[in-house]
């Protein structure tokens, strides 16, 4: 019972460490991976509660196997083709050049030689997909131009781990009992890959079709695990990595109709085992080696981040990125990545270099990952002072000159809702906006939108203002809205202007400017919210609508008074306490049309004011 008790207690400690450390580190902005590493270091090298880190590491490597299977499932040929230039051009260049430079520096410094320096250099060339994607998502930059290029580089790095893991057995010192030559080993590996492709093409889909007909959910999960483990084992027997076999199996099933179900079946196993893997890396870390080489680590981390940033910046500039985008990418991906842990652990196990060297490299990667948020924030200081949005997209108004019923300037949330009404009514809408990210996102949904500054006359002309029946100014900033309205009035005095108002004062200013219609951005939504709240409190629906209409009329009457007497006029028309008795009764005759009622009430109020 003693070994069983030990296993249970160790499993309990690992689960507790993951549950505590991962959310804590994520809350601190450092990511769950560093949390798992920290938990492993605390449980193992620090507290000495678990000393069999190597044994746990061998089991937890299945997490990496499952991860690469899922990455393979996501790599549809059509998606790869769309992003082929950035993935296979920019991404490949980054890995090759950065890996070569870092390998040279490692060999030059005397840390490692030969195969060891190559594995270490190319392992450090890989960045952290988890960290970089987390920063992009937090900043809503995933769909920007630089975000897409960064993702392409990360995707190629994820792919690069497959051949890097595959060549480790070729670099390892050959065992004495191994009578085959490296060339024979290579031929066996090629034959295994070919056999896997043949099995994937002719066996996998029919297998899943048969299982799916049975309707047995548990058998489907077992089949998914069988495919992953079977492919991984085949590659391992051929002298390659298990991860490569799982990745190839995923690619073979990427176009399968069972892809999403397979991903859902594997994901829980992948998540648990991957967390266990990173904790096992922490368990096997040799703190004594880290302490003895602390100065080397302190020097190596900034050198690593500087080299990767400079290479990324240069490559991005050479392939068409502007300065600001290149700076962002360079300082988003300067860290080592989680696949570095995988590569260094595999290399140490194969004897390419020692476990002490692996611990040193893991420490360098870990510290660089922890500094990633700082590097990302530094990018803002290095960008050019000019408006970064203006340099992201070239202005192109091809097709806009034909004109539309409505020229909408600004495509904020307010404008997006308004445009739906117009388009549903069969009206043609041309939209211009100065946010490159917003233009790209809207264009993906099929909107007729152009990048441009609505405060410039040449942009308005190019967008077809001369043929538009209404100019809808829906910009977010008050001063920008005023500038556009003044420009349109000066150049096109007969243009009908509908404007989004910022607040009540802005409404009065817009009316003084002579706009045809204005609406405060929160007015109607506030009325509806109040009405729904009344109904939830038990007020009859018709009565709640009547109260809402009364408040709308009162507001319009106040505005008329404020136009004549100033902002303080009409205070007596505001409700500051509950009205009792209820101010409205159900009408006994047909209600006057809202527009006419508003006009009559406004005229009466203005006559009284005069």
């Amino acid at each position: 019972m003693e070994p069983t008790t030990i296993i249970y207690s160790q499993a309990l400690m690992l689960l507790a460490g993951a549950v505590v450390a991962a959310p804590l580190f994520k809350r601190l902005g450092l990511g769950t991976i560093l949390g798992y590493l920290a938990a492993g270091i605390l449980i193992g090298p620090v507290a000495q509660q678990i000393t069999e880190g190597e044994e746990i590491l061998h089991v937890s490597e299945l997490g990496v196997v499952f991860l690469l299977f899922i990455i393979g499932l996501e790599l549809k040929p059509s998606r790869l083709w769309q992003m082929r230039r950035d993935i296979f051009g920019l991404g490949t260049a980054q890995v090759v050049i950065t890996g070569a430079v870092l390998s040279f520096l490692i060999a030059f410094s005397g840390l490692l030689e030969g195969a060891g320096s190559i594995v270490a250099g190319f392992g450090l060339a890989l960045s952290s997909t988890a960290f970089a994607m987390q920063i992009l998502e937090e900043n809503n930059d995933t769909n920007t131009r630089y975000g897409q290029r960064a993702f392409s580089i990360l995707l190629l790095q994820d792919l690069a781990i497959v051949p890097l893991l595959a060549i480790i057995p070729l670099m390892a010192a050959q065992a004495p009992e191994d009578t085959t030559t490296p060339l024979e080993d290579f031929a066996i590996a090629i034959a295994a890959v070919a056999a896997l492709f043949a099995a994937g093409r002719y066996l996998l889909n029919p297998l899943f079709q048969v299982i799916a007909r049975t309707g047995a959910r548990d058998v489907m999960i077992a089949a998914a695990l069988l495919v992953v483990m079977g492919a991984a084992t085949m590659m391992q027997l051929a002298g390659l990595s298990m991860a490569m076999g799982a990745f190839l199996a995923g690619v073979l099933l990427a176009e399968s109709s069972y892809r999403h179900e397979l991903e859902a079946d594997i994901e829980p196993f992948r998540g648990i085992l991957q967390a266990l893997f990173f904790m096992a890396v922490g368990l096997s870390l040799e703190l004594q080696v880290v302490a003895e080489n602390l100065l080397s680590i302190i020097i190596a981390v900034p050198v690593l981040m500087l080299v990767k940033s400079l290479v990324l910046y240069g490559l991005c500039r050479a392939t068409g990125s502007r300065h600001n985008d290149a700076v962002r990418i360079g300082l988003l991906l300067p860290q080592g990545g989680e696949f570095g842990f995988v590569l260094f652990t595999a290399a140490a196990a194969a004897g390419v270099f020692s476990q002490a060297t692996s611990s040193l490299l893991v420490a360098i990667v870990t510290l660089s990952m922890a500094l990633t948020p700082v590097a990302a924030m530094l990018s803002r200081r290095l960008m050019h002072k000019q408006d970064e949005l203006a340099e992201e997209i070239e202005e192109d108004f091809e097709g806009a000159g034909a004109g539309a019923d409505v020229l909408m300037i600004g495509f904020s949330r307010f404008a997006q809702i308004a445009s739906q009404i117009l388009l549903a009514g069969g009206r043609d809408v041309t939209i211009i906006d100065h946010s490159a990210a917003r233009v790209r996102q809207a264009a993906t949904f099929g909107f007729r939108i152009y990048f441009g500054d609505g405060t410039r006359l040449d942009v308005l002309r190019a967008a077809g203002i001369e043929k538009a029946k209404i100019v809808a100014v829906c910009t977010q900033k008050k001063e920008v809205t005023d500038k556009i309205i003044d420009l349109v009035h000066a150049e096109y005095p007969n243009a009908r202007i509908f404007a989004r108002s910022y607040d009540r004062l802005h409404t009065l200013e817009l009316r003084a400017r002579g706009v045809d219609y204005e609406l405060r951005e929160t007015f109607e939504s506030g009325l509806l919210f109040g009405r729904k709240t009344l109904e939830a409190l038990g007020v009859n629906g018709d009565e709640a609508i009547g109260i809402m209409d009364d408040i709308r009329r009162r507001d319009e009457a106040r505005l008329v008074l404020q136009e004549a007497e100033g902002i303080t006029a009409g205070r007596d028309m505001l409700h500051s306490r509950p009205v009792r008795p209820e101010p409205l009764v159900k009408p006994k005759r047909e209600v006057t049309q809202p527009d006419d009622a508003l006009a009559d009430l406004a005229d009466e109020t203005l006559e009284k004011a005069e």
Side-chain angles (χ1 to χ4, degrees):
M1 291 295 292
E2 186 65 25
T4 305
T5 304
I6 293 174
I7 291 173
Y8 283 154
S9 63
Q10 290 181 349
L12 186 63
M13 279 188 288
L14 291 172
L15 288 172
V19 169
V20 173
L24 177 62
F25 273 68
K26 188 171 181 63
R27 184 69 180 268
L28 295 174
L30 297 175
T32 56
I33 293 172
L34 285 184
Y36 295 136
L37 283 171
I41 293 171
L42 184 63
I43 295 171
V46 175
Q48 294 291 316
Q49 295 298 309
I50 299 178
T51 56
E52 300 85 7
E54 294 294 330
E55 296 179 10
I56 296 175
L57 192 60
H58 290 313
V59 176
S60 62
E61 283 176 354
L62 292 176
V64 178
V65 171
F66 290 149
L67 173 62
L68 283 171
F69 176 72
I70 290 176
I71 290 175
L73 284 177
E74 295 292 335
L75 293 181
K76 289 185 176 181
S78 57
R79 187 183 184 195
L80 290 175
W81 182 254
Q82 290 174 353
M83 305 172 67
R84 62 190 182 280
R85 292 181 180 176
D86 283 343
I87 294 175
F88 300 107
L90 178 59
T92 302
Q94 184 274 328
V95 171
V96 172
I97 295 175
T98 306
V101 172
L102 291 174
S103 298
F104 171 78
L105 291 176
I106 292 170
F108 182 77
S109 66
L111 179 64
L112 290 169
E113 296 180 357
S117 65
I118 294 174
V119 171
F122 278 85
L124 292 172
L126 306 179
S127 302
S128 173
T129 302
F131 268 68
M133 293 307 297
Q134 176 183 336
I135 292 173
L136 287 174
E137 290 171 3
E138 288 175 353
N139 296 331
N140 294 319
D141 287 340
T142 306
N143 293 322
T144 61
R145 180 180 297 180
Y146 96 89
Q148 289 292 305
R149 300 206 87 184
F151 175 75
S152 298
I153 295 171
L154 290 168
L155 183 57
L156 191 282
Q157 291 178 355
D158 291 346
L159 296 177
I161 190 63
V162 177
L164 289 175
L165 286 172
I167 64 174
I168 283 181
L170 303 179
M171 291 184 170
Q174 201 166 1
E177 64 273 13
D178 191 354
T179 58
T180 59
T181 64
L183 185 60
E184 290 173 331
D185 291 339
F186 184 74
I188 292 172
I190 294 297
V193 171
L196 182 60
F197 268 93
R201 183 175 181 84
Y202 298 108
L203 295 179
L204 290 185
N205 272 317
L207 170 66
F208 285 113
Q209 286 174 2
V210 172
I211 296 174
R213 291 193 192 102
T214 66
R217 172 71 177 168
D218 51 347
V219 178
M220 197 71 173
I221 296 174
L225 293 172
L226 176 64
V227 168
V228 178
M229 296 303 300
T233 303
M234 181 187 294
M235 290 297 103
Q236 186 181 44
L237 293 175
L240 299 176
S241 70
M242 296 178 71
M244 182 176 182
F247 173 78
L248 292 176
V251 172
L252 292 173
L253 291 168
E255 297 286 0
S256 170
S257 57
Y258 303 100
R259 179 173 67 89
H260 295 295
E261 187 171 359
L262 287 170
E263 186 173 353
D265 291 340
I266 292 296
E267 182 62 32
F269 299 96
R270 193 278 307 169
I272 293 173
L273 289 171
Q274 188 178 334
L276 184 60
F277 171 80
F278 290 122
M279 293 183 74
V281 171
L283 290 171
S284 59
L285 191 68
E286 297 182 8
L287 292 184
Q288 183 180 354
V289 173
V290 175
E292 292 173 354
N293 296 274
L294 189 59
L295 181 61
S296 299
I297 293 172
I298 293 174
I299 295 173
V301 170
V303 170
L304 166 67
M305 299 182 77
L306 181 63
V307 168
K308 293 186 73 173
S309 296
L310 291 176
V311 171
L312 282 163
Y313 177 84
L315 287 174
C316 289
R317 291 287 282 163
T319 53
S321 289
R322 298 183 182 273
H323 169 79
N324 287 1
D325 281 353
V327 167
R328 283 178 172 135
I329 295 172
L331 291 176
L332 179 70
L333 308 177
Q335 75 289 121
E338 49 271 15
F339 279 126
F341 300 144
V342 178
L343 195 64
F344 302 147
T345 303
V352 177
F353 45 64
S354 67
Q355 182 60 43
T357 301
S358 175
S359 295
L360 180 62
L361 293 172
V362 166
I364 292 171
V365 171
T366 301
L367 189 54
S368 70
M369 291 170 74
L371 293 175
T372 298
V374 179
M377 288 188 290
L378 179 63
S379 65
R380 300 170 190 167
R381 296 182 176 272
L382 298 179
M383 289 190 291
H384 286 162
K385 297 289 185 180
Q386 69 266 25
D387 183 6
E388 62 188 25
L389 295 174
E391 64 177 39
E392 290 190 19
I393 296 181
E394 295 295 332
E395 292 179 354
D396 181 9
F397 293 95
E398 183 179 355
D405 296 312
V406 178
L407 172 61
M408 183 171 284
I409 305 171
F411 202 52
S412 58
R413 290 170 295 182
F414 181 95
Q416 290 165 24
I417 297 170
S419 69
Q420 291 299 291
I421 299 292
L422 296 171
L423 294 169
R427 302 301 180 180
D428 196 6
V429 182
T430 295
I431 308 161
I432 59 175
D433 195 284
H434 72 286
S435 168
R438 196 151 50 227
V439 169
R440 289 196 192 95
Q441 291 171 358
T444 61
F445 289 95
F447 286 99
R448 184 181 178 185
I449 188 168
Y450 301 90
F451 176 76
D453 183 358
T455 62
R456 287 169 42 193
L457 182 60
D458 59 327
V459 168
L460 296 179
R461 285 175 176 164
I465 189 174
E466 295 175 350
K467 297 180 180 179
K469 298 174 182 177
I470 292 178
V471 179
V473 184
C474 301
T475 48
Q476 293 175 299
K477 294 183 178 180
K478 171 182 175 296
E479 55 273 17
V480 175
T481 299
D482 294 344
K483 188 175 181 179
I484 294 172
I485 290 172
D486 291 342
L487 176 63
V488 174
H489 270 322
E491 298 295 329
Y492 302 97
N494 296 324
R496 298 176 64 194
I497 300 177
F498 281 40
R500 166 188 176 175
S501 168
Y502 178 74
D503 56 17
R504 194 172 196 85
L505 281 173
H506 194 208
T507 290
L508 295 172
E509 293 173 7
L510 291 177
R511 291 189 175 191
R513 277 183 162 85
V515 299
D516 294 89
Y517 178 76
E518 50 69 34
L519 180 66
R520 275 167 285 159
E521 56 190 32
T522 58
F523 181 65
E524 288 294 333
S525 57
L527 287 175
L528 180 59
F529 187 88
R531 190 194 98 197
K532 288 294 184 181
T533 306
L534 265 183
E535 292 175 359
L537 292 172
V539 176
N540 178 271
D542 291 338
E543 185 177 353
I545 292 173
I547 292 173
M548 182 181 70
D549 291 340
D550 177 65
I551 296 302
R552 186 185 286 112
R553 286 192 294 269
R554 284 172 172 270
D555 184 83
E556 178 61 27
R558 281 183 62 217
L559 284 171
V560 173
L561 276 177
Q562 287 169 335
E563 283 185 90
E565 300 179 14
I567 191 63
T568 59
R571 286 185 177 182
D572 59 313
M573 305 181 73
L574 282 172
H575 294 309
S576 57
R577 291 180 177 81
V579 177
R580 301 191 186 282
E582 296 297 334
L584 298 174
V585 294
K586 189 174 181 179
K588 297 180 180 179
R589 58 185 177 83
E590 187 177 348
V591 179
T592 310
Q593 290 298 320
D595 290 344
D596 296 336
L598 284 174
D600 293 342
L601 181 60
D603 290 341
E604 292 174 8
T605 308
L606 187 56
E607 288 175 3
K608 293 178 182 178
E610 293 174 348

